[in-house]
Amino acid sequence: MSSTPTQTATSSAICVENLSHQYPAPKRSRRGNSQPAPRVLALDGVSFEVNMGEVFGILGPNGGGKSTLFRILSTMLRPSVGEGRSAGSANVMGYDAVAEPGLVRRQLGVVFQSPSLDGKLTAVENLRHQGRLYGLGGFELSKRIDHWLEYFGLSDRQDEFVERFSGGMRRRLEVAKALLHEPTLLLMDEPATGLDPAARRDLWQKLFELRDQKGMTIALTTHLMDEADRCDRLAIICEGKLVAVDTPGNLKARIGGDVVTVEPEVAENGSGAERLASEITEKFGPWDEGASPAVVDGRVRFEKADGARVVAEVAAAYPGKIRSLTVGRPTIEDVFLRLTGAALGESNA
Ligand SMILES: Nc1ncnc2c1ncn2[C@@H]1O[C@H](COP(=O)(O)OP(=O)(O)O)[C@@H](O)[C@H]1O
Ligand SMILES: [Mg+2]
């Protein structure tokens, strides 16, 4: 493989090695508070690779470190863990995100979590403005704008003010804007958050098209299960640490059995779920490691190889005391719970 003097010959689109970051301590807000706030590692020794041409998801709860990782990869943040300590490295399309930010940026289309469109401009004007930032102009720019508006189904609304667009249309225009300079890698921070299911489906259809028809590599962060499930591969991060990287299918296969949830009728003192969990633990053991009953969001949740049979037995054992019972194959949420001991949903304020 040929390589320029700076670009490392690489088959991975992103290569992150032992990456850590600690934000500076916040200024104390209250007088008399002598305890300095503890400084947490927003990223703590994270390593993974993203292959060319895949849709790679970074899944984690709020505060998990996703945006910090996104900021480092998009060269907006220089990883740092204090004087004299290595913060690791982040390599994007063969360029170092810290040493060669300009070269990285040329390879990258970036969609931020917070909207970056100007509502008082039309779709075309937003794109033209972006194109000029990348030194594009004239016929070439007009041609690209037409292409991407058409691609994202926005041509017939191209001269309308963006403030009149739906959430889904805005997000598609954001992606068009990120692709105008023809990057090879698209990086998105929580692209589908706030979109309704139909708009989310439309967006994902376009992402798959970009991968399949244009060979684009796509890396995105998400805290949503349905999005995580659609990725070719998934990195799960929690409290700044990477806890797993694999295909969604392989991750789910790590949980051997079925997942059962039992929702008790509300007890007078509100302790129904805890009591039920300990009774089920007693009666239906033995339990595989990590599979025994736990209370999650007011429901008792456990894993058993023969879920359907156990559900029937639980139903028979607690007549009138159970509001609902479910049994199913493990989801990404179950994988997350198993790996981190926390529910993704709980942390999503
Ligand atoms: N600008 C900042 N200054 C200080 N702490 C921050 C800043 N941004 C994020 N953090 C902290 O870093 C951790 C990771 O945050 P973030 O990367 O935004 O997570 P996510 O995107 O997964 O929600 C959290 O504890 C958060 O409070
Ligand atoms: Mg974030």
Side-chain angles (χ1 to χ4, degrees):
M1 195 185 276
S2 68
S3 64
T4 63
T6 50
Q7 191 172 22
T8 316
T10 177
S11 59
S12 34
I14 295 175
C15 181
V16 165
E17 272 175 26
N18 206 18
L19 192 65
S20 300
H21 181 72
Q22 192 164 40
Y23 289 99
K27 292 194 186 92
R28 262 173 269 145
S29 53
R30 270 193 229 142
R31 268 185 298 160
N33 180 2
S34 57
Q35 291 283 313
R39 295 178 63 194
V40 289
L41 279 174
L43 280 181
D44 188 357
V46 169
S47 304
F48 64 88
E49 285 186 37
V50 177
N51 301 322
M52 297 284 189
E54 72 179 348
V55 176
F56 188 88
I58 297 155
L59 173 73
N62 273 348
K66 303 182 297 295
S67 291
T68 303
L69 182 55
F70 173 90
R71 283 182 209 123
I72 294 169
L73 293 174
S74 59
T75 77
M76 290 181 299
L77 177 70
R78 197 187 171 91
S80 161
V81 282
E83 286 300 307
R85 288 170 60 199
S86 168
S89 67
N91 203 278
V92 179
M93 301 304 292
Y95 296 108
D96 187 278
V98 173
E100 301 160 308
L103 292 167
V104 166
R105 262 180 252 143
R106 224 175 286 168
Q107 311 280 329
L108 260 191
V110 181
V111 179
F112 299 95
Q113 191 171 350
S114 45
S116 72
L117 299 169
D118 187 336
K120 300 282 181 210
L121 297 180
T122 67
V124 169
E125 286 165 347
N126 268 284
L127 294 183
R128 195 168 292 141
H129 181 68
Q130 174 77 0
R132 295 218 180 93
L133 293 179
Y134 277 88
L136 296 165
F139 177 69
E140 178 59 27
L141 178 57
S142 300
K143 197 177 74 180
R144 289 193 194 185
I145 291 174
D146 286 348
H147 169 77
W148 288 114
L149 286 172
E150 171 82 43
Y151 190 84
F152 285 105
L154 296 166
S155 295
D156 54 341
R157 308 281 298 268
Q158 64 175 38
D159 294 318
E160 264 179 58
F161 291 131
V162 165
E163 64 189 5
R164 289 169 54 178
F165 280 15
S166 70
M169 291 165 67
R170 283 178 208 207
R171 207 60 59 93
R172 296 203 304 277
L173 185 58
E174 293 268 7
V175 183
K177 192 177 148 184
L179 295 174
L180 213 51
H181 63 291
E182 301 188 335
T184 42
L185 172 64
L186 180 61
L187 201 59
M188 299 191 282
D189 199 9
E190 307 236 10
T193 299
L195 297 187
D196 63 48
R200 202 175 286 171
R201 254 194 325 273
D202 287 351
L203 179 67
W204 270 87
Q205 194 193 329
K206 286 296 169 197
L207 297 184
F208 288 138
E209 268 179 49
L210 286 169
R211 177 194 64 187
D212 297 340
Q213 294 168 11
K214 306 205 184 239
M216 188 82 75
T217 305
I218 300 170
L220 57 95
T221 71
T222 183
H223 68 270
L224 303 167
M225 291 305 128
D226 63 332
E227 268 198 311
D229 240 333
R230 289 172 166 148
C231 297
D232 295 320
R233 288 194 313 133
L234 205 54
I236 299 182
I237 65 170
C238 186
E239 294 176 358
K241 289 197 174 67
L242 186 112
V243 293
V245 190
D246 214 330
T247 63
N250 284 348
L251 288 168
K252 286 184 278 191
R254 289 187 193 184
I255 296 179
D258 297 320
V259 175
V260 178
T261 62
V262 187
E263 185 186 4
E265 287 291 356
V266 182
E268 271 157 37
N269 59 5
S271 68
E274 261 80 18
R275 194 172 339 122
L276 191 61
S278 64
E279 286 182 25
I280 292 175
T281 306
E282 285 278 300
K283 272 191 203 163
F284 294 93
W287 300 97
D288 291 340
E289 201 196 328
S292 63
V295 177
V296 180
D297 295 338
R299 288 158 205 235
V300 181
R301 181 197 169 284
F302 58 88
E303 295 160 23
K304 270 281 177 192
D306 47 356
R309 185 182 60 79
V310 179
V311 160
E313 287 178 12
V314 170
Y318 299 99
K321 291 193 177 159
I322 286 169
R323 178 169 294 187
S324 73
L325 267 167
T326 66
V327 58
R329 301 300 302 151
T331 63
I332 291 292
E333 173 96 50
D334 296 312
V335 174
F336 187 83
L337 257 169
R338 177 65 94 83
L339 290 169
T340 68
L344 258 176
E346 277 178 348
S347 334
N348 298 327

